[in-house]
């Protein structure tokens, strides 16, 4: 192990970096679908060769990461092999282009990329990319030739299939094997359109345009594109949040940090299968408000305006897709997305009106739900928090009335207390994070004083972030509601509440982003690298594992598709020594009892039974490894799915005393109408929120029983945790 040079950023200043950067779910090569000012003219290169400037940049980047990254990686043959595999996976994730002979020829580069980076030699990386371009062109030319022969000549009665998960398959044996795969891929596209009742002429015209566009894009690839691909493979060999940002990407980052952007409000990245994938939605942004676009959706076509032509973007570069999605406030963009990773034939058309996302639209909100037990109604206060926000500029300027999530939540707490609530739910579902300082301050509203989170830097120095304000705003029973999209600062808050025994965490396993990124200039552009890791006060990392709820709810979100653990080269979970802190309560016995009551109650709950059926159905779909290319079989499969979904929904409606749907078409039309009507209004029912209220009511009744037995209230017991050091 080499000695690591001290970080260029003093650790005492890391708190500022955490405040700025802790919220980011920057995964893979991300782009923010924000505003578009002008289309840049694309220049057709004569040949793809590295430039002297790129060579200098690669050396500077390699040295910076070696010196400052949290991981003290040895830049040796082992690391070179990791870069080599990452590069291949980025170029050809589905193994649909490279032949075995290509991989064999490339093998001489496996252990040379470490030396290449030290010397600023990018020739080998560019050689691999040129071969990739050659194979892509061969595929496009071959596919265009098949289309010209006539898609109606394809035989859809044959018993053929297409393997969906190709990652573990061997590389294509030869050109004959490649052409057979390319034919099947085209056949599946035609079949998908046939299932949608498209006419042959429409299918042909659409596919011709798509592949001509891809050929045109292929001709526009320049050396900067190649450089970015390889450098991303290099930086992601550290972890998925470390990356080089060319000037254009750096500008995108600035837009996101200002939290005011015109667009749809979504973070996108190119996934391992080559699709542009939705990573997360900006709280209160147009996409999130529209309630149609979801994390893990894959964008396959983009159209401008309410009736503009849909342009197929499969296989496009990420920045080109983002450029198409961007646009001025008030304009409409339409996205065709794949909604089911297990069945790429399932697509949906979504319309989003671009708008400006403003800080005030992300503000905390409150409401009260009532739970009836016997003759008594229990009032459960709910605070919905979409982000841990703060107006940095106003705070820095000394404005005494600057806006922050903690200030807003404190005000709402006082209002709820004045309405005599019996318990509280803090709803952090889909809260992607925000300011670390806000997470710390907000925890302080529910505890007197004490540590909230530990942060360890690259030099193994540990900083303890603590609440020093003895003010306690709310001391009653509480639950924190989370899901897979609760991340970063949300996880810090939930962990603190859980570790102190201050409340119960309910819902789904959280995102698991427990790393901190720093940003530095690297002319041209910037470098974002992982500088530190978060640790709970009990010593556990939040990285990769996230927060495990005390009481779990079923979820349709696929943890293999969404979350830190779904990303390549993620840093592992680990733990350090606990800090010294005093628990408010040891709730293990309480949680065990509440979980038992919860499971008994939901056995006959129509919404939870329906949700469990949906989860079971989705799990079955995710296990599919191939898809039939026989038209009759696919039609039968589609009808079977419709019948199953209709039966599931009607069982739920019957249990709720609602009118049953006659057929799937009626169900689908009703769902579309409901989504359109509900875009700007609160849902009338929230089964998970209601069940969380039920759990808190169970807890209240337990406390009442304890008080009647003249015992100390469960919530107020003290449990001193004396292991560990006050670091």
């Amino acid at each position: 192990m080499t000695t690591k040079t001290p970080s260029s950023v003093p650790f005492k200043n890391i708190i500022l970096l955490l405040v700025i950067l802790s919220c980011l779910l920057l995964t893979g090569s991300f782009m923010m679908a924000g505003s578009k000012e002008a289309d840049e003219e694309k220049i057709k290169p004569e040949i793809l060769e590295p430039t002297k400037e790129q060579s200098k940049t690669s050396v500077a980047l390699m040295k910076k990461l070696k010196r400052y990254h949290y991981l003290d990686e040895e830049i040796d043959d082992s690391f070179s092999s990791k870069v080599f595999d990452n590069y291949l996976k980025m170029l050809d994730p589905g193994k649909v282009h490279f032949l075995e002979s290509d991989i064999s020829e490339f093998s001489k580069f496996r252990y040379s990329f470490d030396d290449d980076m030290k010397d600023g030699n990018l020739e080998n990386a560019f050689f691999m990319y040129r071969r990739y371009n050659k194979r892509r062109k061969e595929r496009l030319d071959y596919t265009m030739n098949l289309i010209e022969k006539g898609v109606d000549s394809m035989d859809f009665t044959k018993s053929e299939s297409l393997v969906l998960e190709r990652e573990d398959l061997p590389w294509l044996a030869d050109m004959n094997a490649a052409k057979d795969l390319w034919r099947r891929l085209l056949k599946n596209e035609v079949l998908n359109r046939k299932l949608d009742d498209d006419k042959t002429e429409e299918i042909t015209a659409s596919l011709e345009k798509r592949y001509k566009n891809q050929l045109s894009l292929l001709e526009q690839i320049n050396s900067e594109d190649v450089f970015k691909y390889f450098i991303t493979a290099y930086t992601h060999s550290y972890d998925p949040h470390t990356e080089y940002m060319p000037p254009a990407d750096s500008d995108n980052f600035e837009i996101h940090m200002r939290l005011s952007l015109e667009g749809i409000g979504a973070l996108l990245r190119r996934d391992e299968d080559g699709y542009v994938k939705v990573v997360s939605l900006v709280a209160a942004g147009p996409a999130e408000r529209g309630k149609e676009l979801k994390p893990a959706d894959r964008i396959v076509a983009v159209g401008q305006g309410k009736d503009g032509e849909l342009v197929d973007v499969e296989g496009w570069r990420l920045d080109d897709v983002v450029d198409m999605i961007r646009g001025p406030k008030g304009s409409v963009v339409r996205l065709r997305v794949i909604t089911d990773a297990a069945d790429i034939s399932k697509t949906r058309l979504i319309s989003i009106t671009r708008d400006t996302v403003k800080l005030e639209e992300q503000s905390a909100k409150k409401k009260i739900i009532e739970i009836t037990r016997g003759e008594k109604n229990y009032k459960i206060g709910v605070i919905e928090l979409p982000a841990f926000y703060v107006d940095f500029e106003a705070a820095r300027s000394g404005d005494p009335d600057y806006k922050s999530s903690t200030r807003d939540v404190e005000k709402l707490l006082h209002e709820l207390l004045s309405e005599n609530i019996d318990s509280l739910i803090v709803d952090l579902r889909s809260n992607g994070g925000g300011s670390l300082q806000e997470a710390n301050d907000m925890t302080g509203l529910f505890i007197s004083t004490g540590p909230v989170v530990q942060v360890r830097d690259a030099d193994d120095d540990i900083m303890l972030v603590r609440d020093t304000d003895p003010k306690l705003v709310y001391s009653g029973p509480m639950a924190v509601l989370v899901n897979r999209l609760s991340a970063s600062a949300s996880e810090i808050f939930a962990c603190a509440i859980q570790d102190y025994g201050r409340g119960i965490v309910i819902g789904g396993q959280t995102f698991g982003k427990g790393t901190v990124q720093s940003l530095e200039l690297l002319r041209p552009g910037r470098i974002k690298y992982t500088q530190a890791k978060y640790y709970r006060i009990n010593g556990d990392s939040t990285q990769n594992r996230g927060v495990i709820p005390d009481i779990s709810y079923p979820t349709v979100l696929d943890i293999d598709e969404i979350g830190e653990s779904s990303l390549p080269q993620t840093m592992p979970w680990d733990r350090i020594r606990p800090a010294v802190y005093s628990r408010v309560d040891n709730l293990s016995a309480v949680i065990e009892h509440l979980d038992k009551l919860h499971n008994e109650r939901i056995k006959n709950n129509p919404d939870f039974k329906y949700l469990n059926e949906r989860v079971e159905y989705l799990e079955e779909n995710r296990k599919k490894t191939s898809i039939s290319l026989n038209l009759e079989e696919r039609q039968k499969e589609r009808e079977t799915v419709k019948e199953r979904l209709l039966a599931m929904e009607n069982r739920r409606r019957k249990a709720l005393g609602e009118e049953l749907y006659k057929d799937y078409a009626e169900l689908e039309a009703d769902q579309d109408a409901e989504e359109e009507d509900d875009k700007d209004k609160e849902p009338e029912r929230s089964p998970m929120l209601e069940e969380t209220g039920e759990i808190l009511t169970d807890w209240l009744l337990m406390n009442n029983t304890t008080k009647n037995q003249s015992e100390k209230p469960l919530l107020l017991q003290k449990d001193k945790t004396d292991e560990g050091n006050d670091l």
Side-chain angles (χ1 to χ4, degrees), residues 488-710:
S488 197
S490 292
E491 295 174 292
I492 290 170
F493 177 83
C495 284
I497 297 299
Q498 193 176 54
D499 289 345
Y500 274 104
R502 180 59 193 83
I504 302 173
V505 177
I506 299 175
Q509 182 179 357
T510 62
F511 194 91
K513 185 179 185 295
T515 59
V516 185
Q517 282 69 48
S518 182
L519 195 66
E520 287 191 17
L521 288 175
L522 185 73
R523 301 189 183 279
R526 300 183 185 185
I527 180 174
K528 177 171 68 72
Y529 61 93
T530 297
Q531 188 186 35
K533 284 182 77 173
Y534 293 126
Y535 291 85
R536 303 167 64 140
I537 54 176
N538 72 0
D540 289 354
S541 170
T542 60
Q543 170 62 17
N544 222 2
R545 181 180 294 183
V547 185
I548 307 299
D550 298 308
I551 297 177
S552 295
Y553 287 165
T555 175
V556 296
L557 297 175
D558 184 1
I559 63 173
D560 292 329
E561 289 287 329
I562 301 170
E564 186 78 6
S565 60
S566 71
L567 304 175
Q569 303 295 337
T570 55
M571 292 169 62
W573 177 91
D574 63 345
R575 69 187 323 270
I576 59 176
R577 295 181 67 185
V580 171
Y581 64 101
S582 295
R583 289 191 189 134
V584 174
D585 197 354
N586 184 343
L587 296 176
S588 56
V590 174
I591 291 167
E592 183 178 356
H593 183 65
L594 295 179
D595 192 34
K596 182 179 179 181
L597 294 176
H598 156 70
N599 286 319
E600 283 295 324
R601 184 167 43 246
I602 65 171
K603 281 181 181 178
N604 298 312
N605 183 302
D607 292 301
F608 274 83
K609 289 175 73 173
Y610 171 77
L611 185 55
N612 280 317
E613 284 189 82
R614 288 282 300 183
V615 171
E616 182 182 350
Y617 160 72
L618 291 171
E619 285 298 323
E620 289 176 11
N621 263 2
R622 289 163 188 158
K623 292 177 182 177
K624 287 183 179 178
T625 58
S626 64
I627 191 168
S628 172
L629 296 178
N630 180 286
L631 179 58
E632 186 177 348
E633 286 182 21
R634 285 280 284 277
Q635 285 172 332
K636 287 180 180 178
E637 287 175 4
R638 180 170 286 198
E639 289 306 312
T640 300
V641 167
K642 288 179 179 180
E643 289 172 7
R644 184 172 178 181
L645 294 176
L646 177 64
M648 286 163 50
E649 175 61 24
N650 275 340
R651 279 193 292 271
R652 185 186 73 87
R653 295 177 72 83
K654 183 178 180 180
L656 292 171
E658 298 176 358
E659 185 179 350
L660 305 187
Y661 290 116
K662 296 175 183 176
D663 52 34
Y664 185 80
E666 186 180 7
L667 163 63
E668 197 170 35
D670 198 20
Q671 286 179 337
D672 290 342
E674 283 181 6
E675 287 182 356
E676 188 64 33
D677 292 341
D678 291 345
K679 282 183 179 180
D680 298 313
K681 70 179 183 181
E682 289 293 314
E684 294 180 6
R685 299 179 61 252
S686 177
M688 290 189 178
L689 203 59
E690 290 171 6
E691 176 57 22
T692 305
E694 295 280 2
I695 292 170
L696 282 174
T697 303
D698 289 337
W699 192 5
L700 287 168
L701 293 173
M702 286 181 68
N703 279 341
N704 290 339
T705 301
T706 304
K707 288 177 183 177
N708 292 337
Q709 296 172 348
S710 301

Side-chain angles (χ1 to χ4, degrees), residues 425-439:
I425 300 171
V426 179
D427 189 351
L428 300 183
R429 286 176 297 175
S430 302
N431 181 321
S435 163
L436 170 69
Q437 189 61 49
E438 285 298 305

Side-chain angles (χ1 to χ4, degrees), residues 2-45:
T2 59
T3 302
K4 182 176 282 288
T5 308
S7 170
S8 63
V9 181
F11 193 59
K12 64 182 180 179
N13 293 333
I14 196 172
I15 188 69
L16 177 61
L17 293 169
L18 296 176
V19 168
I20 295 173
L21 292 161
S22 66
C23 66
L24 297 182
L25 295 178
L26 301 178
T27 54
S29 298
F30 101 95
M31 293 287 282
M32 170 64 77
S35 62
K36 179 181 180 182
E37 297 182 1
D39 287 329
E40 295 183 6
E41 182 180 353
K42 294 184 172 61
I43 302 172
K44 180 179 176 181

